[in-house]
Amino acid sequence: MRIIAQRTLKEFWQIYPDAEQPLRAWYEKTRRVIWKTPGDVKGDYRHASFLANNRVVFNIKGNHYRLVVALDYAYSVVYIRFVGTHRAYDDVDATTI
């Protein structure tokens, strides 16, 4: 998958250094796969949650952080829309960000 906005991940782990390794691992794994369906995502990340508008929520670092992406299955693109703590996640509408 082509991942758009890796900078968002880097900016986050500069503030939360304990998130760097899990986010790097997610990035490396995700850039090496091709997801054509939500089932493909679930095969790689069984705890991923699916929302409206092709949004997927990933639990990062044992569910300490949340990563929200928008997927374009047809073009194999992952758009990073949000990465943050649970408290910050509670303050956003993940289906529209």
Side-chain angles (χ1 to χ4, degrees):
M1 301 295 288
R2 192 165 43 117
I3 303 170
I4 306 297
Q6 180 188 16
R7 181 186 69 191
T8 304
L9 300 179
K10 290 179 181 179
E11 289 171 355
F12 184 77
W13 74 53
Q14 287 175 348
I15 298 167
Y16 298 94
D18 62 327
E20 182 175 0
Q21 192 284 325
L23 287 170
R24 282 185 184 272
W26 176 89
Y27 180 87
E28 288 303 318
K29 182 175 183 176
T30 301
R31 74 182 189 88
R32 289 187 169 93
V33 297
I34 300 293
W35 293 325
K36 295 295 183 188
T37 68
D40 295 340
V41 178
K42 208 62 156 162
D44 288 325
Y45 294 99
R46 65 186 178 111
H47 295 292
S49 300
F50 297 88
L51 306 175
N53 299 321
N54 287 326
R55 299 300 198 268
V56 181
V57 181
F58 296 94
N59 297 316
I60 302 296
K61 193 181 179 277
N63 209 18
H64 283 88
Y65 304 109
R66 295 278 175 100
L67 172 64
V68 179
V69 304
L71 288 176
D72 186 329
Y73 295 102
Y75 292 98
S76 299
V77 178
V78 176
Y79 299 94
I80 296 172
R81 306 302 298 157
F82 171 86
V83 60
T85 64
H86 278 273
R87 177 171 284 171
Y89 176 80
D90 290 341
D91 292 337
V92 300
D93 180 357
T95 62
T96 60
I97 58 172

